[in-house]
Amino acid sequence: MADPHLFPVTVYYEDTDMGGIVYHANYLKFIERARSDMVRRLGIDQNAMRAAGGVFVVRRIDAEFVAPARLDDVLEVRTEIAAATGARLSLAQSVHLGATELFRARVEIVAADPVRGRPRRLPPELRGA
């Protein structure tokens, strides 16, 4: 995946706090939706993956809040694969309003067995990306 995956997000009232800006935890929801969309577009069926005994688990997030987003802003979440090993994927994700970066995160996900929690190999479609 040479180009970043782009995912639009509109800020709704429910996403904001009393100050009218996006509540900090909602950025994690925005980047989760973008990751799910990226995986779907790569052809990975997460329901089929779970039925076969595999799930994705977030292992670590390192996040930085740069500037606020507000009600009715139309944001863009950019996701890039930074590194991949057999079972681990490191992603660089950022949220932008036009050319302005509002939020950035480094997210590490692993493929795991949902019962035992043991690592599994990433699906080939994801390793190939």
Side-chain angles (χ1 to χ4, degrees), residues 80-109:
E80 296 181 77
I81 298 174
T85 65
R88 187 175 300 168
L89 188 66
S90 179
L91 302 170
Q93 292 192 275
S94 55
V95 178
H96 298 257
L97 177 60
T100 303
E101 184 180 56
L102 307 178
F103 173 85
R104 71 178 72 101
R106 186 70 152 209
V107 181
E108 186 177 288
I109 63 172

Side-chain angles (χ1 to χ4, degrees), residues 16-64:
T16 62
D17 62 15
M18 290 183 66
I21 62 174
V22 170
Y23 181 66
H24 69 280
N26 288 328
Y27 286 97
L28 299 178
K29 291 180 181 181
F30 298 162
I31 65 173
E32 174 68 34
R33 291 177 199 157
R35 284 194 309 276
S36 294
D37 189 69
M38 180 191 78
V39 167
R40 185 179 304 110
R41 289 176 186 261
L42 288 171
I44 299 168
D45 181 341
Q46 291 191 69
N47 288 315
M49 185 177 157
R50 184 177 58 242
V55 295
F56 291 118
V57 178
V58 173
R59 182 175 182 275
R60 175 177 303 169
I61 296 179
D62 180 20
E64 184 176 353

